[in-house]
Amino acid sequence: MERTLGIIKPDAVSKNVIGKIISIIEENEIKIKAMKMVKLTEEQAKGFYYVHKDKPFFNDLIKFMTSGPVVLMLLEGENVIERWRKIMGVTDPAKADEGTIRKLYGTDIEKNAVHGSDAPETAEYETKYFFNALEVC
Ligand code: IDP
Ligand code: MG
């Protein structure tokens, strides 16, 4: 069993597809062990995306991620880090496979509907960044 962090980003929340994305998670035998809807502060978003701080898209990304509420989810399942990334699709919705969440609900390479940790170390950092032990069922 593995754990990863999933986020439904502000574009998907404003498109009213939280339920559709959660359905996809459940259909794929992934368990939601913790979940909350929050509006990230600039400081919280910057801390979360610190690995991208030197990228040219960083400032816009922070603006986007703080533009409205997000749904944070701690996901659990077999091989869930890799499986959730596959279910999401690649970063650019235009290049994502048919049926992936980013293809279905993403807008562009920045506003791409969902987040997923990319490796065991980042999953560990990211799940602990947003959830403490008492919040995990
Ligand atoms: P990932 O979310 O598929 O792992 P990362 O490269 O880790 O992609 O980038 C983090 C987030 O930054 C992306 O999900 C997307 O919202 C945004 N992003 C990535 N590359 C670009 C870009 O070239 N332009 C604008 N935003 C980008
Ligand atoms: Mg990433």
Coordinates of all heavy atoms in Angstrom, one line a residue, residues 9 49 51-52 55-58 60-61 64-65 85 88-92 102 108-118, ligand 1:
K9 N -7.6 21.2 -8.5 CA -7.1 22.5 -8.6 C -8.3 23.5 -8.8 O -9.4 23.1 -9.2 CB -6.1 22.6 -9.7 CG -4.8 21.8 -9.5 CD -3.7 22.1 -10.6 CE -2.4 21.3 -10.3 NZ -1.4 21.6 -11.3
Y49 N 5.1 24.4 -3.8 CA 5.7 24.3 -5.1 C 7.2 24.8 -5.1 O 7.7 25.2 -6.1 CB 4.9 25.1 -6.1 CG 3.7 24.3 -6.7 CD1 2.4 24.8 -6.6 CD2 3.9 23.1 -7.4 CE1 1.3 24.1 -7.2 CE2 2.8 22.5 -8.0 CZ 1.6 23.0 -7.8 OH 0.5 22.3 -8.4
V51 N 10.0 23.5 -5.2 CA 10.9 22.9 -6.2 C 10.8 23.6 -7.6 O 11.8 23.5 -8.3 CB 10.7 21.4 -6.5 CG1 11.1 20.5 -5.3 CG2 9.2 21.1 -6.9
H52 N 9.8 24.3 -7.8 CA 9.6 25.1 -9.1 C 9.9 26.5 -8.9 O 9.7 27.3 -9.9 CB 8.2 24.9 -9.6 CG 7.8 23.5 -10.0 ND1 8.5 22.8 -10.9 CD2 6.8 22.7 -9.5 CE1 8.0 21.6 -11.0 NE2 7.0 21.5 -10.2
K55 N 11.5 28.4 -11.8 CA 10.9 28.2 -13.2 C 10.2 29.5 -13.6 O 9.7 30.2 -12.8 CB 9.9 27.1 -13.2 CG 10.4 25.7 -12.7 CD 10.8 24.8 -13.9 CE 11.5 23.6 -13.4 NZ 10.6 22.7 -12.6
P56 N 10.2 29.7 -14.9 CA 9.6 30.9 -15.4 C 8.1 31.0 -15.2 O 7.5 32.1 -15.1 CB 9.8 30.9 -17.0 CG 10.2 29.5 -17.3 CD 10.8 28.9 -16.0
F57 N 7.4 29.8 -15.0 CA 6.0 29.8 -14.8 C 5.6 29.9 -13.3 O 4.4 29.9 -12.9 CB 5.3 28.6 -15.4 CG 5.9 27.3 -14.9 CD1 5.4 26.7 -13.7 CD2 6.8 26.6 -15.7 CE1 5.9 25.5 -13.3 CE2 7.3 25.3 -15.3 CZ 6.8 24.8 -14.1
F58 N 6.6 30.0 -12.4 CA 6.3 29.9 -10.9 C 5.3 31.0 -10.4 O 4.3 30.6 -9.8 CB 7.6 30.1 -10.1 CG 7.4 29.9 -8.7 CD1 7.1 28.6 -8.1 CD2 7.6 31.0 -7.8 CE1 7.0 28.5 -6.7 CE2 7.4 30.8 -6.4 CZ 7.1 29.6 -5.9
D60 N 3.0 32.8 -12.0 CA 1.7 32.6 -12.5 C 1.0 31.3 -11.9 O -0.2 31.3 -11.6 CB 1.7 32.3 -14.0 CG 1.9 33.7 -14.8 OD1 1.7 34.7 -14.2 OD2 2.3 33.6 -16.0
L61 N 1.9 30.3 -11.6 CA 1.3 29.1 -11.0 C 0.8 29.4 -9.6 O -0.3 28.9 -9.2 CB 2.5 28.0 -10.9 CG 2.2 26.7 -10.2 CD1 1.0 26.0 -10.9 CD2 3.4 25.8 -10.2
F64 N -2.4 31.3 -9.9 CA -3.5 30.3 -10.2 C -3.9 29.5 -9.0 O -5.1 29.3 -8.7 CB -3.1 29.4 -11.4 CG -3.9 28.2 -11.6 CD1 -5.3 28.3 -11.8 CD2 -3.3 26.9 -11.5 CE1 -6.0 27.1 -11.9 CE2 -4.0 25.8 -11.7 CZ -5.4 25.9 -11.9
M65 N -2.9 28.9 -8.3 CA -3.3 28.0 -7.2 C -3.9 28.7 -6.0 O -4.5 28.0 -5.2 CB -2.0 27.2 -6.8 CG -1.5 26.2 -7.8 SD -2.8 24.9 -8.2 CE -2.8 23.9 -6.7
R85 N -0.9 9.3 -11.2 CA -0.3 10.1 -12.3 C -0.9 9.7 -13.7 O -1.1 10.5 -14.5 CB 1.2 10.0 -12.3 CG 1.9 10.5 -11.0 CD 2.2 11.9 -11.0 NE 3.1 12.3 -12.1 CZ 3.5 13.6 -12.2 NH1 3.1 14.5 -11.3 NH2 4.3 13.9 -13.2
M88 N -4.4 10.9 -14.1 CA -4.4 12.3 -14.3 C -4.1 12.7 -15.8 O -4.7 13.6 -16.4 CB -3.4 13.0 -13.5 CG -3.6 13.0 -12.0 SD -2.6 14.3 -11.1 CE -1.0 14.0 -11.8
G89 N -3.1 12.0 -16.3 CA -2.6 12.3 -17.7 C -1.4 13.3 -17.5 O -1.1 13.8 -16.5
V90 N -0.7 13.5 -18.7 CA 0.5 14.3 -18.6 C 0.1 15.8 -18.4 O -1.0 16.2 -18.5 CB 1.3 14.2 -20.0 CG1 1.9 12.8 -20.1 CG2 0.5 14.6 -21.2
T91 N 1.2 16.6 -18.0 CA 1.0 17.9 -17.6 C 0.1 18.8 -18.5 O -0.7 19.5 -18.1 CB 2.4 18.6 -17.4 OG1 3.2 17.7 -16.6 CG2 2.2 20.0 -16.7
D92 N 0.4 18.7 -19.8 CA -0.4 19.5 -20.8 C -1.6 18.8 -21.3 O -1.5 17.7 -22.0 CB 0.6 19.8 -22.0 CG -0.1 20.7 -23.0 OD1 -1.3 21.1 -22.8 OD2 0.6 21.1 -24.0
R102 N -6.9 15.1 -17.0 CA -6.5 16.4 -17.6 C -7.0 16.6 -19.0 O -7.3 17.7 -19.4 CB -4.9 16.4 -17.5 CG -4.4 16.8 -16.1 CD -3.0 16.6 -16.0 NE -2.4 17.3 -14.8 CZ -1.2 17.2 -14.3 NH1 -0.4 16.3 -14.9 NH2 -0.8 17.8 -13.2
D108 N -5.5 24.2 -19.8 CA -4.2 24.4 -20.5 C -3.0 23.9 -19.6 O -3.3 23.3 -18.5 CB -4.0 25.9 -20.9 CG -4.0 26.8 -19.6 OD1 -3.5 26.4 -18.6 OD2 -4.5 27.9 -19.8
I109 N -1.8 24.1 -20.0 CA -0.7 23.5 -19.3 C -0.6 23.9 -17.9 O 0.0 23.2 -17.0 CB 0.6 23.7 -20.1 CG1 1.8 22.8 -19.6 CG2 1.0 25.1 -20.1 CD1 3.0 22.7 -20.5
E110 N -1.1 25.1 -17.6 CA -1.0 25.6 -16.2 C -2.3 25.2 -15.5 O -2.2 24.6 -14.4 CB -1.0 27.1 -16.2 CG -1.0 27.7 -14.8 CD -1.2 29.2 -14.8 OE1 -2.3 29.7 -15.0 OE2 -0.2 29.9 -14.6
K111 N -3.4 25.5 -16.1 CA -4.7 25.1 -15.4 C -5.1 23.7 -15.8 O -6.0 23.5 -16.7 CB -5.8 26.2 -15.8 CG -5.4 27.6 -15.4 CD -6.4 28.6 -15.9 CE -6.0 30.0 -15.5 NZ -4.7 30.5 -15.9
N112 N -4.5 22.8 -15.2 CA -4.6 21.4 -15.6 C -5.4 20.5 -14.7 O -5.1 19.3 -14.6 CB -3.3 20.8 -16.0 CG -2.3 20.9 -14.9 OD1 -2.6 21.3 -13.8 ND2 -1.0 20.5 -15.1
A113 N -6.3 21.0 -13.9 CA -7.3 20.3 -13.1 C -6.9 19.6 -11.9 O -7.6 19.6 -10.9 CB -8.1 19.4 -14.1
V114 N -5.7 18.9 -12.0 CA -5.4 18.0 -10.8 C -3.8 18.0 -10.6 O -3.1 18.3 -11.5 CB -5.9 16.6 -11.0 CG1 -7.3 16.4 -10.6 CG2 -5.6 16.1 -12.4
H115 N -3.5 17.6 -9.4 CA -2.1 17.4 -9.0 C -1.9 16.0 -8.5 O -2.8 15.5 -7.9 CB -1.7 18.4 -7.9 CG -0.3 18.1 -7.3 ND1 0.9 18.5 -7.8 CD2 0.0 17.3 -6.2 CE1 1.8 18.0 -7.1 NE2 1.3 17.3 -6.1
G116 N -0.7 15.4 -8.7 CA -0.4 14.2 -8.0 C 1.1 14.2 -7.8 O 1.9 14.6 -8.6
S117 N 1.5 13.7 -6.6 CA 2.9 13.6 -6.2 C 3.6 12.7 -7.3 O 3.0 11.8 -7.8 CB 3.1 12.9 -4.9 OG 2.2 13.5 -3.9
D118 N 4.9 12.9 -7.5 CA 5.6 12.2 -8.6 C 6.5 11.1 -8.2 O 7.1 10.4 -9.0 CB 6.3 13.2 -9.6 CG 7.4 14.0 -8.9 OD1 7.7 13.7 -7.7 OD2 7.9 14.9 -9.5
Ligands
IDP1 P1 3.0 17.9 -13.0 O1 1.9 18.6 -12.2 O2 2.5 17.2 -14.2 O3 3.9 17.1 -12.1 P2 5.2 19.9 -13.0 O4 6.2 20.0 -14.0 O5 5.5 19.3 -11.6 O6 3.9 19.1 -13.6 O7 4.6 21.3 -12.8 C1 3.8 21.7 -11.7 C2 2.6 22.5 -12.2 O8 3.1 23.7 -12.8 C3 1.8 21.9 -13.4 O9 0.9 20.9 -13.0 C4 1.2 23.1 -14.0 O10 0.0 23.5 -13.3 C5 2.3 24.1 -13.9 N1 3.2 24.1 -15.1 C6 4.1 23.2 -15.5 N2 4.7 23.5 -16.6 C7 4.2 24.7 -17.0 C8 4.4 25.5 -18.1 O11 5.3 25.3 -19.0 N3 3.7 26.7 -18.2 C9 2.8 27.0 -17.2 N4 2.5 26.2 -16.1 C10 3.2 25.1 -16.0

